[in-house]
Amino acid sequence: MTDLPGIVVTGASGRMGRMLTEIVTASERARLVGVLERPGHAWIGQDVGEAMGGAPIGVIVSDDPLEQISQAQAILDFTAPAATVEFAALAAQARCVHVIGTTGLSEEDLSKINAAGRHATIIRAGNMSLGVNLLVQLTKKVAEALDEDYDIEVIEAHHNQKVDAPSGTALMLGQAAADGRGVSLEQNADRGRDGITGARTRGHIGFTAIRGGDIVGEHDVMFATAGERIVLSHIASDRAVFARGALKAALWGQGRKPGEYDMLDVLGLKEN
C-alpha cells in the first residue's frame, strides 16, 4: 500500500471534498494521506471518516497545507482561487501533481499557477468528466463546420450554492466554440442579457447561467439558425464522475514532466 501514490484532498468538508475523499479512500490505486480544511473549521483535528459521519479511516483533518503536501504525490483541489494559488506554490516546492478543478480563477491567479507549473505537474480543467471533455471536442468540430449564420448559445445549470457564473465548464465550451470559429472568446462573448439589448450580434457566443436546488451540472451548446437548431448536451447526475476524473488525472500525472496539462491530455483526446 505504501507504494501507491499518496493523495491529499483539499476543502474536505465541501461537496467535492467529501466525494474526493470517498473516491480516494475506496481506490486500489492510490492512498489518502491527508485532508485539508481552512483554519478554525470545526473538522480540524477530527478523523475525516468520523467528521463525514462514518467510521474512522486514520486520516486527521489538518489546517497545515505545507505539512500535508510535503508528504504527498498529488493534491486534488476543488476549492477557491486564493487557496488554489497557495496550493500551487506548495505543489511546486514539493514537486507533486496538482489537480485543479477550482473555477473562477482570474488572469492574475492563472499567471501564478503558470509559474508554479515550471516545477510542478499541474492538471487544470473546468470539468473532469470524460463526457464533458468529449462535448468540448464536439463543440469545436461543429463550430468549425458551421458559419456565423448559426448563433451559438451555451446554457448551463447548477445548484443554488455555486458562487461563480458562467461555470468553468461553460467557459470551456465557449472557448471550444471560439476556437472552432477562429475568433477570440473575450471579444465575442455575451455573458447575460437584461433590458433593451437590441438584436443579437452576429457571430457572438452567448452564455446563460441557471442556479437552483441541487442540480449537479447540466450544459447545452445550441447552434441555431433559421429553420433548425443543433443542440449538444451533457447532464451530470452524480459528482462521482468529477471525482473519478480527478483521481484519474492525479494517477496519469505521476512521472510526467512539470508543466500545465488538461483533461484532454489525460484522456488522450488532444489534437496533434
Side-chain angles (χ1 to χ4, degrees):
M1 286 290 291
T2 56
D3 293 334
L4 298 177
I7 308 290
V8 168
V9 172
T10 66
S13 70
R15 287 180 174 86
M16 277 305 302
R18 291 171 182 257
M19 183 61 68
L20 290 164
T21 299
E22 292 175 2
I23 292 294
V24 175
T25 301
S27 175
E28 297 180 349
R29 301 180 62 199
R31 57 197 173 94
L32 186 69
V33 298
V35 288
L36 287 165
E37 258 303 341
R38 63 187 181 278
H41 193 278
W43 283 21
I44 302 298
Q46 295 187 52
D47 184 287
V48 69
E50 292 180 319
M52 291 170 57
I57 62 174
V59 178
I60 304 301
V61 181
S62 172
D63 61 359
D64 187 346
L66 177 59
E67 177 189 27
Q68 297 287 302
I69 293 170
S70 65
Q71 64 179 335
Q73 282 71 58
I75 318 161
L76 304 184
D77 176 18
F78 287 67
T79 53
T84 291
V85 168
E86 177 186 355
F87 297 144
L90 294 174
Q93 292 179 32
R95 303 296 196 270
C96 72
V97 177
H98 187 188
V99 178
I100 301 175
T102 303
T103 57
L105 296 161
S106 68
E107 289 301 319
E108 182 180 358
D109 296 331
L110 293 173
S111 177
K112 292 176 180 177
I113 290 169
N114 178 262
R118 291 197 289 267
H119 304 287
T121 301
I122 294 175
I123 303 164
R124 183 177 65 85
N127 195 299
M128 300 283 174
S129 86
L130 171 59
V132 161
N133 283 278
L134 286 170
L135 180 62
V136 168
Q137 293 295 82
L138 290 170
T139 297
K140 182 179 179 182
K141 289 292 186 184
V142 175
E144 286 176 350
L146 302 177
D147 61 23
E148 291 186 352
D149 286 342
Y150 285 79
D151 299 321
I152 302 176
E153 292 284 325
V154 180
I155 305 103
E156 55 101 341
H158 285 85
H159 56 86
N160 59 18
Q161 298 301 302
K162 186 168 179 60
V163 299
D164 59 311
S167 69
T169 303
L171 293 173
M172 284 173 59
L173 293 166
Q175 186 62 59
D179 290 345
R181 284 267 171 93
V183 300
S184 163
L185 178 62
E186 183 179 350
Q187 295 176 8
N188 291 274
D190 286 333
R191 293 206 185 185
R193 305 178 180 97
D194 184 39
I196 307 300
T197 61
R200 191 186 198 282
T201 303
R202 180 179 169 85
H204 274 201
I205 298 169
F207 291 86
T208 299
I210 299 166
R211 298 289 177 264
D214 61 355
I215 301 170
V216 173
E218 300 180 5
H219 295 85
D220 293 333
V221 184
M222 180 174 68
F223 298 83
T225 192
E228 69 175 356
R229 283 176 291 167
I230 301 166
V231 181
L232 306 178
S233 183
H234 180 272
I235 297 174
S237 56
D238 188 340
R239 284 183 182 81
V241 299
F242 311 131
R244 286 193 291 266
L247 178 57
K248 182 181 181 72
L251 295 173
W252 178 88
Q254 300 302 308
R256 301 278 171 182
K257 293 180 179 179
E260 288 194 72
Y261 303 89
D262 59 26
M263 285 302 289
L264 297 180
D265 293 304
V266 175
L267 298 170
L269 297 174
K270 183 154 283 186
E271 298 176 345
N272 296 324

